[in-house]
């Protein structure tokens, strides 16, 4: 039952696509505060659950563990440390990334949820778990209220 | 939770699976039919004998067809029967059998067919294109994630926290690709692979290299589940599902314990309690944990409470998890050796445990006498786990 057809176009085939190719995703209530604070004030916000002693970064309006409504927003500062990282050599389409891109989870302190982002201004060999880093933001005039308003995190001075 | 008063015991009496490979010609329905027919033949049943059908298949985006469950319906044998599709990503491989189990255990149905199918070659340019849409569209997608690199970050965290050496992780890939040599459906069996081959393979997203990863694939697998009332009508060697468990962690993958899979432990404890297992290390003879990446086999063994955190790597280095070792792990060859058509890996997880316990595993049969096995699959956004404990009586 096994054939060795290498190319999909060598068999009788029909092309198809999913026609609904655009979606609008909203940032939500907590997301709106997070992205506006990032764009206008250059601040990274979190929301705190006192019952669980857990700070969500980015913020959320509820705690998923106890279902409390979260109303206490905190500024997290720009410094954090690397929880884990990877040096990616390929993008999702399978194209080589040259130079490789470095992705990491950044924690802003104990009992906070880490944030996913890129690392920059560092050689891959010098990264380690626990490394202290700080956020590098786009200039205010270029910020759009997106996660990419943070360009990357670099080693903290 | 009531884990003790189940109405009917449930046995596996037949299993089937297609070759795992890039199968451009056959449709998903045709592969489903092939696997389902094999399972029915082994059980000595025809489709007419089946009371209900469960179908497992992963994202609709692989096929570009919504409601893939009813799209694959006729190939899975579900037409004009009670039918449901379940989907928990890769976890479907063991979760679909659990859905089949509750159909029978409830006393509602006597004979249920469970079919899992995956065809990953239709989506262009690559299955990764479909995976791109499983992330949060606001926080993750703008950073252009690739599935491999979130696993790489998890592997890094695991190595860091438990001081696990990459060389020990890579040994899992060597073991499983060699084990797969005995499997008639294997895509990536390699009798000659060495540790150096894995260590020197191309860096994908470090610490993950090409040979640390299982390949995308096409295929289908199926099992037949029957009630205790009829099990011995069909076979002298029914293999009993004595415990099932499942659990899911937060969808915010950044917020999980990336070193120890707590959700696997929760699912395992549920299955062990149901099966009356108090000391899994002593009472379980072998395991088929989910191994889409080599480090996942180790993490899952630890989540299944069959090793302490970090200890699974040492067991691997000492050869204990080899097919003829004291605790065989992935004697099938696993996803790393046989292939990874997501949901269809049913055939190398619950399928393999069935064949091993029924002593039908042929050249893959483990040497020691095995009576109790555990299998586990992992899925959704690397947050879900399903666990099944099986016994020969």
């Amino acid at each position: 039952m096994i054939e060795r057809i290498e190319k999909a176009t060598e068999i009788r085939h029909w092309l198809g696509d999913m026609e609904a190719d655009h979606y609008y995703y909203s940032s939500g209530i907590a997301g709106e505060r997070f992205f506006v604070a990032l764009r206008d004030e250059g601040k990274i916000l979190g929301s705190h659950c006192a019952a669980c002693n857990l700070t969500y970064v980015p913020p959320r309006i509820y705690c998923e563990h106890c279902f409390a409504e979260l109303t206490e927003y905190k500024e997290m500062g720009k410094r954090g440390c690397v929880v884990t990282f990877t040096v990616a050599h390929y993008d999702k389409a399978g194209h080589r990334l040259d130079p490789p891109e470095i992705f990491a989870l950044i924690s802003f302190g104990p009992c906070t949820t880490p944030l996913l982002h890129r690392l920059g201004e560092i050689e891959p060999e010098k990264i380690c778990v626990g490394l202290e880093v700080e956020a590098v933001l786009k200039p205010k005039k270029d910020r759009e209220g997106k996660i990419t308003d943070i360009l990357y995190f670099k080693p903290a001075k | 939770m009531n884990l003790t008063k189940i109405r009917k015991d449930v046995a596996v009496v037949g299993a089937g699976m297609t070759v795992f490979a890039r199968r451009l010609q056959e449709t998903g329905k045709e592969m489903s039919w092939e696997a389902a027919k094999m399972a029915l033949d082994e059980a000595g049943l025809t489709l007419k004998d089946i009371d209900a059908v469960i179908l497992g298949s992963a994202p609709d985006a692989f096929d570009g067809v919504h409601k893939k469950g009813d799209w694959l319906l006729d190939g899975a044998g579900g037409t004009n029967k009670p039918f449901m599709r379940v989907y928990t990503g890769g976890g479907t491989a063991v979760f679909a059998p659990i859905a089949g189990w509750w159909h029978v255990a409830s006393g509602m149905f006597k004979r249920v067919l469970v079919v899992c199918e995956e065809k990953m070659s239709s989506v262009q340019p690559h299955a990764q294109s479909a995976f791109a849409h499983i992330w949060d569209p606001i926080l993750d997608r703008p950073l252009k994630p690739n599935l491999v690199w979130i696993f790489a970050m998890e592997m890094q965290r695991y190595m860091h926290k438990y001081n696990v050496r990459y060389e020990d992780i890579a040994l899992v890939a060597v073991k499983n690709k060699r084990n797969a040599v005995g499997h008639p459906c294997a895509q990536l069996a390699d009798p000659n692979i060495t540790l150096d081959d894995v260590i020197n393979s191309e860096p994908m997203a470090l610490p993950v290299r090409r040979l640390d990863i299982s390949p995308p694939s096409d295929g289908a697998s199926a099992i037949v589940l029957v009630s205790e009332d009829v099990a011995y009508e069909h076979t002298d060697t029914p293999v009993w599902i004595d415990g099932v468990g499942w659990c899911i962690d937060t969808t915010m993958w950044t917020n999980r314990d990336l070193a120890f899979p707590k959700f696997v432990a929760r699912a395992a404890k549920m299955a062990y309690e149901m099966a009356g297992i108090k000391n899994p290390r002593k009472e379980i003879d072998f395991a088929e944990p989910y191994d889409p990446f080599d480090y996942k086999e180790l993490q899952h063994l630890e989540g299944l409470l069959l090793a302490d955190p970090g200890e699974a790597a040492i067991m691997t280095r000492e050869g204990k998890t080899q097919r003829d070792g004291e605790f065989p792990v992935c004697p099938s060859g696993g996803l790393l050796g046989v292939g990874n058509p997501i949901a269809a890996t049913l055939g190398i997880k619950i399928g393999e445990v069935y064949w091993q316990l029924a002593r039908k595993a042929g050249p893959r049969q483990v040497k020691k006498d095995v009576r109790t096995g555990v299998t586990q699959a992992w899925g959704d956004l690397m947050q879900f786990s399903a666990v099944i404990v099986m016994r020969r009586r």
Side-chain angles (χ1 to χ4, degrees):
Chain A
M1 294 287 280
I2 281 299
E3 86 293 317
R4 289 290 171 205
I5 300 170
E6 292 290 319
K7 284 187 189 160
T9 48
E10 285 171 7
I11 50 171
R12 185 178 309 280
H13 66 281
W14 286 259
L15 279 179
D17 58 22
M18 300 261 234
E19 286 170 22
D21 58 358
H22 288 87
Y23 296 83
Y24 289 108
Y25 299 112
S26 64
S27 52
I29 295 161
E32 185 68 13
R33 286 184 69 151
F34 175 78
F35 287 115
V36 168
L38 182 63
R39 182 189 65 194
D40 296 349
E41 302 170 68
K43 288 178 179 170
I44 296 168
L45 293 187
S47 64
H48 185 65
C49 176
C52 298
N53 188 27
L54 180 64
T55 303
Y56 291 91
V57 184
R60 292 201 247 166
I61 62 166
Y62 58 88
C63 173
E64 71 176 279
H65 300 290
C66 72
F67 255 32
E69 184 177 358
L70 304 185
T71 53
E72 185 189 342
Y73 286 78
K74 283 166 70 166
E75 191 190 339
M76 305 311 297
K78 290 203 188 65
R79 287 170 77 111
C81 72
V82 171
V83 176
T84 185
F85 65 96
T86 181
V87 182
H89 289 255
Y90 286 91
D91 68 9
K92 68 180 168 65
H95 300 129
R96 257 203 106 82
L97 293 166
D98 192 20
E101 283 190 45
I102 306 159
F103 295 93
L105 298 186
I106 315 294
S107 168
F108 293 90
C111 306
T112 64
T113 67
L115 182 72
L116 169 70
H117 223 287
R118 295 195 180 94
L119 297 186
E121 298 185 40
I122 187 167
E123 296 299 313
E125 302 75 41
K126 296 200 173 141
I127 306 163
C128 60
V129 173
L131 181 75
E132 286 205 39
V133 291
E134 62 182 312
V136 178
L137 270 54
K138 283 182 180 170
K140 190 173 178 185
K141 64 176 172 50
D142 297 337
R143 295 205 288 259
E144 305 170 276
K146 293 180 179 171
I147 196 65
T148 44
D149 286 356
I150 303 170
L151 287 167
Y152 50 81
F153 284 75
K154 67 173 184 181
K157 288 191 190 107
Chain B
M1 267 190 285
N2 168 16
L3 301 178
T4 50
K5 287 188 181 169
I6 305 301
R7 282 164 178 256
K8 296 288 179 189
D9 282 355
V10 181
V12 181
V13 294
M17 65 186 282
T18 69
V19 171
F20 289 175
R22 191 157 184 259
R23 304 178 65 158
L24 286 163
Q25 181 72 65
E26 292 126 305
T27 64
K29 296 179 189 209
E30 288 170 339
M31 292 191 295
S32 299
W33 166 80
E34 186 189 338
K37 189 84 165 64
M38 286 166 76
L40 288 170
D41 287 349
E42 190 176 298
L45 294 172
T46 66
L47 188 55
K48 228 169 62 181
D49 302 315
I50 294 296
D51 301 327
V53 175
I54 305 296
L55 177 89
S57 196
D60 288 354
F62 279 157
D63 299 80
V65 177
H66 284 309
K67 308 199 291 101
K68 209 161 112 181
D70 52 66
W71 189 56
L72 293 166
L73 170 74
D74 51 299
T79 310
N80 290 322
K81 292 187 193 295
F83 174 83
M84 83 179 280
R85 175 202 182 181
V86 294
Y87 167 50
T88 55
T92 310
V94 172
F95 188 65
I98 291 178
W101 171 86
W102 77 57
H103 275 64
V104 179
S106 64
M108 275 191 80
F109 301 102
K110 281 196 168 66
R111 299 172 187 87
V112 168
L113 175 66
V114 180
V115 184
C116 280
E117 178 272 358
E118 214 67 68
K119 180 157 176 155
M120 300 172 72
S121 61
S122 301
V123 57
Q124 304 299 321
H126 191 272
Q128 282 290 344
S129 318
F131 286 131
H133 298 274
I134 64 177
W135 281 284
D136 184 282
I138 296 161
L139 295 173
D140 293 353
R141 280 194 222 167
L143 299 169
K144 301 188 174 66
N146 164 322
L147 199 64
V148 175
W149 59 251
I150 62 169
F151 297 137
M153 279 195 264
E154 190 181 60
M155 177 168 161
Q156 183 90 258
R157 187 73 199 160
Y158 172 65
M159 291 165 69
H160 172 81
K161 186 154 178 194
Y162 300 127
N163 203 18
V164 173
R165 304 189 316 180
Y166 173 72
E167 292 75 12
D168 293 336
I169 293 175
L171 279 172
V172 173
V174 176
K175 168 177 73 72
N176 291 3
K177 287 174 196 296
R178 287 185 176 217
N179 278 354
V181 172
H183 206 300
C185 303
Q187 178 175 7
L188 276 189
D190 185 346
N192 302 314
I193 190 168
T194 65
L195 181 59
D196 280 345
D197 292 338
V198 181
I199 291 173
N200 295 323
S201 65
E202 190 182 17
M204 302 298 286
L206 288 172
V208 173
R209 292 174 181 275
R210 187 172 291 279
L211 292 179
D212 296 317
I213 316 178
S214 57
S217 193
D218 301 341
S221 299
I223 51 170
V224 177
L225 300 177
V226 301
S227 158
E228 62 185 56
D229 299 338
V230 297
Y232 288 99
E233 291 173 20
H234 303 300
T235 178
D236 295 331
T237 54
V239 175
W240 299 90
I241 294 180
D242 281 352
V244 301
W246 64 101
C247 184
I248 189 163
D249 202 340
T250 176
T251 291
M252 299 305 291
W253 63 275
T254 53
N255 304 359
R256 294 178 213 141
D257 182 342
L258 296 176
F260 181 79
K262 290 176 181 161
F263 54 99
V264 178
R266 290 198 180 100
K269 283 175 184 166
M270 184 176 161
Y272 296 162
E273 186 183 336
M274 189 186 285
I277 288 177
K278 296 198 168 53
N279 185 340
R281 293 187 198 202
K282 285 198 175 141
E283 295 174 58
I284 294 171
D285 301 319
F286 75 106
E288 267 290 342
Y290 215 58
D291 62 320
F293 287 68
D294 41 16
Y295 81 96
K296 289 310 295 185
E297 173 172 314
L298 304 178
Q299 250 192 346
H300 289 154
L301 280 176
E302 293 162 13
L304 289 166
L305 313 173
L306 298 167
D308 288 335
E311 190 192 0
I314 299 163
M315 288 166 65
T316 305
R317 189 197 312 156
E318 292 173 346
K320 289 178 180 165
T321 59
Q322 295 284 346
R323 186 183 281 140
D324 56 1
E326 63 184 68
F327 189 82
V329 178
C330 289
S332 67
L335 281 61
L336 286 162
V338 185
N340 187 6
I342 316 284
T345 56
L346 171 148
I348 44 177
K349 293 302 154 193
I350 189 170
E352 183 71 8
V353 176
Y354 161 71
W355 281 314
Q356 289 286 350
L357 291 175
R359 294 196 184 92
K360 290 178 178 173
R364 303 187 312 283
Q365 189 68 47
V366 301
K367 276 190 188 154
K368 70 175 195 175
D369 181 39
V370 287
R371 305 191 73 86
T372 305
V374 64
T375 184
Q376 170 262 350
W378 170 72
D380 284 338
L381 188 54
M382 55 188 221
Q383 74 202 102
F384 172 86
S385 218
V387 176
I388 292 181
V389 175
M390 297 172 82
R391 286 198 188 98
R392 188 181 74 224
R393 289 181 187 160

